[in-house]
Amino acid sequence: MDTGRYAKLFLSESRENLSEINNALLELERGGSDTAIARLFRAVHTMKGMGAAMGYTSVGELSHELETLLDKLRNGALVVTRPIIDTLFSGVDALEQAVDLATGAAPQQLDVKEIMARIRAASSEETPQTFTSEFAIVAVDRKAPSPSAPSVQAAQKTPRHIRIDAKRLDTLMNVVGELVIARDRIQKIAEQLGDESLLEATLRASQILATLQNEIMTSRMVPVWQVFERFPRVVRDTARSLGKEVDFKIEGREIELDRSMLDEMGEPVLHLLRNSLDHGVETPDDRERAGKPRVATLILTAERDRATVLIRVTDDGRGIDQSRVLPRAKKLGLVEQGTTKLSEQELISIISRPGFSTAEKVTEISGRGVGFDIVATRVRALGGSLEVHTDAGLGTSVAMRLPLTLAISRALLARVDKEVYAIPLTHVLETFSLSQPMLLESKGRQVVAIRDDLFTAIWLRERVGLPPAASAASGQVVLIELAERRAALIVDEFIGQQEIVVKQFDGVDASKTLFSGATILGDGSPALIVDASSLL
Amino acid sequence: MSDAVALPPEQVVEEEPHVPTRRLLVFNIGDSSFACDMDSFREIVPMQHITRLPGAPDTVRGLINLRGTIVTVIDGGTSLGKLARGRAEGLILLVDYFDRWIGIGVDDVRDIQDVPIDQFGAADQAEIPLVGAVTGAVEIEGQRVLVLDIKTVVQQVIGQGR
C-alpha cells in the first residue's frame, strides 16, 4: 500500500479520534461512566485498526493496550480510579506523540514500551469490587443503556458529509471571484449597447452568480468547535499545573466562521484562556478567603453579531485591579499623574502594551506579560478588535470581535501615478482632500494638520518607489490608524471602495513587508494591498 | 531472428541500441538561447499586464492574474544576467514551484527538442549569475545552448517566497 498517500488522511482522522478520546476522558473524570467508557473504547478501537492498517506498530500496539484496560473498565472488572484516569491521560498523550512521529516528515515509531507497561500494570491490578475508595467514581448505571437507546439512533441520523481538500474550496472561491469580474465587464458592455434583452439576461446571470458566491462562502464556513474542542484538555492541564480548580464551559460551539479565520483565531483564544487561568483565577484557598466557591468558572463563548463573530473568555477570578495597573501606568508615563480611574478603552491600550504586566511572579504559563499584547496584535492583524470588561474581585471578560472571513474584506482603492493600491478599511479612519495650508513642518518632519491635530505625512508614492508628484500639496489624504498610532497617508486620487478577495503572492524581501496580499481589480489586473502596519 | 528481414524498416530502427532522450524546451532571451526540461513547465501564456511589485529587485517583473490566481513573474533577461530589464518580453513560461506557479518572462519559445542524454556536455557554472542553475550544455542547430534547472533559477530569484 502506498502509505504516503494515506498518511495525511490517517493524520486528520486520528486528530478527530484523539480529540474524541480526550473529551470522553474528561467526561469520565467528571464522573461520567458507561457512555464515556463506551465512547473511549470505540475511538481507541478505531485508532487501533487504523494504526495497524497503516503499519504504524507503535500506534497499533499502544491502542491495543489501552483497549484492554478500557475493556476491563467496561465490563466492570476494574473500577475507575484517579490513578487509572491519569494512566489513561498519559496513554493518550503517548498515542498522540506516536501518531505525530509516524506521520512526520521522517516517519518513525515512538518507543511505547514504558507507557504500555504502565497501562498493563493498571489493567492487571486486581481492584476489589468496592466503591469505598475516595476517588472511585461509582460505575453503577444511572441510566441503564437499553438496546434502543435514543442517543445511538440520533448519531446515525447525522447529516451526510464528504471530505473535500480545503484547497479545492479555495480554487472554487477564486473561480467565482473571476466570474464576478467577468460579469462586471459583460454588464458594462451590455449597458453600452443598451440592448434590453441582453441587459435582462445579464441581470439574471448576476443573480445566479450571487447565489453561487453565497453558497461557496457558506461551504467554507466551519463551526468553531473544530478549534474549541482541544481547549477543555488544555484548560484542565493548565489549571492542574497551577494548582487551581476550574469548571470550564463552552457556549456557542455551533457558530460558524470562514475556514481562513478559524485557522488564525485558535492561538489568540488559547492565550486568553491561559491568561485567565494564570492571572485571573485565584487559588482555591484564596477564593475561599474571598468568599467565593473554591472552583472557579471559566466560560468560552462564541456569538454571531451581524457580519462579525464575538469570541469571549469570561472568568470569575480577581479581575484586573485598577489600583495595581494605575501606578504602573503612571510610572511608565502612559497616563497623566492626576488620573484616578481608567476607562475600559484606556485599560485595553495599557494592558496590551508589549511587556506590560502586573503579575508579580513570572510563570511558565503565560510568561512575563506577553500574553495580552500578542492577542491584541493578532486580533488587529485579523481586522478585529478587543473589548475588555473587568470588575475588581469579581472577574474579567475579554472579547475578540472578528470578521467572519479573512478571504473577503472591504478596501479603499487609491491611485498613485498610474498604479492602483488597496488600503484595507479596517485601518482607515477618515479621508480628506489635501490642500496647501494643511501641509506643515513640525520638528523637521512633514505633517498634515487635520482639525487640531498633526499627523505624520506619508506619501504612498515615495513608499512604492515612485518619483514625487509635480505638486506636493495636491491629492487626497487617508487618515490611517493602527494600535493607537495614526498617520496621514497621501495618495493622488481615490477610485472608490470595493469588496476585495485577499490573495497571497510570492513576494521578495521588502515587498513582503510592504503589502499584506494582493487582489484582482474590476479590469482583471492585480492590485497590491497596503499593509498599514508597515507604514506606521 | 531471420524473420526480422520481413519487418517494416521503421521497426528495425527501433531494435537498434537506444539512447534515452530528454525533452527540452528551448527559449530565447535576446541573442541567447536556454533550454530546460519540458516537464518543469505547466503552461505558456502571452505577455500581459504586469503589476509592478515595489520593493522587489530588478529580477522580479511583478504580478499577473492567471485565471484568478496571483502569479509572480520573474524577469528572464535580468535573472539570467543577459539583458537589462524593461524590454517587452513576449511570453511567460509558467513553472510549478512547490504547490504554486511562478512565471518567467522570455522573448520567444524557439523549439521543443528530444535530445539524447549522451549529447549533454559540461558547462561552466559562472556563465550566468545564478549559483547551481546550469546543469549542462547542448548543441542545437549548431548553437551551444545552456541547460538550466528552472526550479533553481526560481529559487535563487525569489527564495521560498510566501
Side-chain angles (χ1 to χ4, degrees):
Chain A
M1 182 168 70
D2 176 9
T3 45
R5 260 182 66 202
Y6 296 103
K8 268 189 189 158
L9 192 62
F10 170 79
L11 188 63
S12 83
E13 288 189 354
S14 296
R15 291 252 158 85
E16 280 172 26
N17 267 300
L18 283 166
S19 103
E20 164 76 4
I21 292 172
N22 266 317
N23 287 334
L25 258 181
L26 288 170
E27 192 189 318
L28 190 66
E29 191 182 35
R30 280 194 300 267
S33 54
D34 285 9
T35 43
I37 294 172
R39 275 170 65 198
L40 270 172
F41 189 85
R42 258 198 312 273
V44 168
H45 183 76
T46 311
M47 288 298 295
K48 176 175 138 181
M50 293 193 321
M54 293 295 291
Y56 300 153
T57 49
S58 56
V59 175
E61 287 170 7
L62 188 51
S63 306
H64 177 75
E65 212 58 63
L66 283 167
E67 198 186 60
T68 312
L69 175 56
L70 287 167
D71 192 39
K72 291 199 174 162
L73 293 175
R74 196 168 61 158
N75 64 27
L78 275 178
V79 265
V80 180
T81 58
R82 161 59 58 196
I84 284 185
I85 286 187
D86 283 342
T87 306
L88 284 169
F89 269 121
S90 311
V92 173
D93 285 342
L95 193 57
E96 206 160 347
Q97 276 178 37
V99 167
D100 284 344
L101 274 180
T103 54
Q108 46 180 307
Q109 299 301 318
L110 181 74
D111 182 4
V112 289
K113 280 195 211 84
E114 202 179 310
I115 182 72
M116 277 173 62
R118 253 185 79 190
I119 300 169
R120 204 170 304 138
S123 55
S124 60
E125 235 162 64
E126 291 293 320
T127 318
Q129 289 275 3
T130 65
F131 299 135
T132 49
S133 158
E134 194 192 341
F135 286 104
I137 290 155
V138 182
V140 277
D141 307 354
R142 270 176 302 215
K143 359 168 210 171
S146 63
S148 61
S151 62
V152 178
Q153 295 224 328
Q156 280 163 353
K157 269 192 199 155
T158 47
R160 297 203 303 148
H161 289 291
I162 53 165
R163 271 172 203 280
I164 304 184
D165 185 346
K167 272 195 152 179
R168 297 227 157 151
L169 283 180
D170 290 346
T171 310
L172 268 179
M173 214 27 200
N174 272 341
V175 174
V176 169
E178 282 292 279
L179 259 180
V180 171
I181 292 160
R183 180 217 41 206
D184 289 349
R185 274 195 244 178
I186 294 172
Q187 216 155 20
K188 259 189 201 135
I189 297 167
E191 277 161 19
Q192 281 164 11
L193 293 174
D195 184 305
E196 267 313 307
S197 54
L198 179 58
L199 277 169
E200 210 182 288
T202 318
L203 184 68
R204 177 82 190 112
S206 292
Q207 289 162 346
I208 298 168
L209 184 54
T211 313
L212 180 62
Q213 195 174 16
N214 195 29
E215 280 300 310
I216 289 172
M217 275 299 292
T218 312
S219 68
R220 286 168 53 97
M221 301 289 263
V222 185
V224 291
W225 61 255
Q226 292 203 356
V227 166
F228 284 6
E229 74 180 344
R230 67 187 167 104
F231 293 151
R233 179 72 201 272
V234 178
V235 167
R236 170 198 179 268
D237 291 354
T238 310
R240 281 195 80 179
S241 75
L242 288 166
K244 292 176 181 177
E245 286 173 34
V246 70
D247 180 16
F248 181 50
K249 291 182 188 138
I250 297 180
E251 287 164 11
R253 60 182 80 218
E254 71 291 342
I255 298 292
E256 292 185 324
L257 269 175
D258 187 80
R259 196 178 58 79
S260 57
M261 184 58 78
L262 200 68
D263 291 346
E264 299 291 331
M265 64 152 227
E267 208 56 31
V269 174
L270 201 56
H271 263 296
L272 289 181
L273 291 172
R274 288 194 165 134
N275 234 19
S276 268
L277 288 169
D278 199 7
H279 303 308
V281 171
E282 313 91 329
T283 59
D285 291 346
D286 281 352
R287 289 183 63 88
E288 205 161 10
R289 272 194 289 278
K292 294 176 171 181
R294 287 179 69 85
V295 178
T297 307
L298 182 62
I299 309 171
L300 174 62
T301 340
E303 192 181 318
R304 175 87 178 256
D305 182 16
R306 278 162 296 145
T308 62
V309 164
L310 271 171
I311 310 286
R312 197 192 311 272
V313 172
T314 309
D315 66 55
D316 65 347
R318 60 170 70 92
I320 301 171
D321 190 351
Q322 290 243 0
S323 64
R324 285 171 69 193
V325 176
L326 252 177
R328 288 287 305 267
K330 283 180 185 166
K331 208 168 146 196
L332 292 167
L334 301 174
V335 291
E336 283 174 26
Q337 288 304 324
T339 314
T340 52
K341 184 156 172 40
L342 294 164
S343 71
E344 267 177 24
Q345 219 41 50
E346 282 170 325
L347 190 63
I348 294 173
S349 67
I350 289 166
I351 61 176
S352 58
R353 281 178 66 91
F356 189 88
S357 175
T358 57
E360 284 136 14
K361 247 189 343 203
V362 175
T363 62
E364 253 179 63
I365 308 301
S366 52
R368 189 191 288 271
V370 289
F372 209 76
D373 75 285
I374 287 179
V375 175
T377 312
R378 289 296 303 139
V379 167
R380 262 193 304 268
L382 296 171
S385 60
L386 273 179
E387 291 157 28
V388 177
H389 186 83
T390 184
D391 284 316
L394 295 176
T396 305
S397 162
V398 182
M400 309 192 301
R401 187 181 287 277
L402 299 168
L404 282 180
T405 175
L406 266 187
I408 293 183
S409 64
R410 283 198 79 77
L412 186 68
L413 298 181
R415 183 183 64 79
V416 283
D417 206 351
K418 292 187 183 91
E419 299 177 345
V420 177
Y421 293 90
I423 305 162
L425 278 187
T426 23
H427 305 300
V428 173
L429 279 183
E430 272 180 278
T431 58
F432 304 91
S433 280
L434 185 65
S435 60
Q436 185 61 57
M438 290 165 75
L439 266 182
L440 304 168
E441 198 154 306
S442 162
K443 296 173 194 156
R445 287 183 315 167
Q446 293 232 272
V447 293
V448 177
I450 295 169
R451 292 186 286 264
D452 292 334
D453 288 313
L454 298 179
F455 302 96
T456 307
I458 300 170
W459 273 270
L460 187 57
R461 270 176 173 276
E462 189 190 312
R463 293 298 174 104
V464 300
L466 290 170
S471 154
S474 71
Q476 309 272 330
V477 185
V478 194
L479 193 56
I480 53 175
E481 181 192 53
L482 187 105
E484 309 290 308
R485 285 147 72 203
R486 295 178 183 184
L489 180 67
I490 300 166
V491 300
D492 289 5
E493 186 194 16
F494 296 137
I495 297 174
Q497 279 185 25
Q498 197 183 305
E499 292 243 298
I500 57 165
V501 180
V502 183
K503 291 156 190 276
Q504 293 309 306
F505 66 93
D506 289 283
V508 191
D509 308 333
S511 62
K512 270 193 274 193
T513 51
L514 211 47
F515 307 106
S516 57
T519 188
I520 295 170
L521 298 177
D523 65 357
S525 64
L528 291 154
I529 302 166
V530 177
D531 183 357
S533 62
S534 76
L535 295 174
L536 291 162
Chain B
M1 283 288 117
S2 61
D3 55 348
V5 180
L7 287 173
E10 63 269 22
Q11 290 202 17
V12 175
V13 172
E14 281 212 348
E15 298 255 322
E16 280 180 4
H18 186 74
V19 180
T21 58
R22 268 168 71 182
R23 178 158 287 190
L24 297 180
L25 180 93
V26 188
F27 56 89
N28 295 334
I29 292 173
D31 296 333
S32 311
S33 289
F34 298 93
C36 295
D37 277 315
M38 187 67 189
D39 296 348
S40 324
F41 299 103
R42 172 55 75 97
E43 202 175 329
I44 301 170
V45 294
M47 187 51 69
Q48 49 191 283
H49 173 87
I50 295 188
T51 297
R52 190 177 64 92
L53 188 52
D58 281 355
T59 46
V60 175
R61 288 287 295 273
L63 310 176
I64 58 165
N65 164 17
L66 187 80
R67 299 186 293 273
T69 305
I70 305 275
V71 175
T72 303
V73 178
I74 290 174
D75 188 274
T78 322
S79 301
L80 300 174
K82 291 300 168 190
L83 290 158
R85 178 193 168 115
R87 295 159 315 105
E89 290 165 329
L91 295 171
I92 298 171
L93 309 178
L94 291 173
V95 181
D96 270 319
Y97 188 64
F98 293 105
D99 55 349
R100 50 196 197 265
W101 296 343
I102 297 291
I104 300 177
V106 301
D107 287 351
D108 197 9
V109 167
R110 181 167 140 190
D111 207 354
I112 291 166
Q113 290 238 345
D114 291 317
V115 181
I117 54 164
D118 57 4
Q119 288 181 27
F120 281 71
D124 185 0
Q125 282 294 330
E127 289 190 50
I128 62 163
L130 303 173
V131 183
V134 177
T135 62
V138 289
E139 191 128 314
I140 289 171
E141 291 158 15
Q143 192 191 355
R144 188 166 167 278
V145 172
L146 288 180
V147 182
L148 306 175
D149 175 31
I150 204 71
K151 288 223 164 69
T152 307
V153 172
V154 172
Q155 189 152 19
Q156 299 261 325
V157 176
I158 66 167
Q160 297 294 320
R162 256 159 237 197

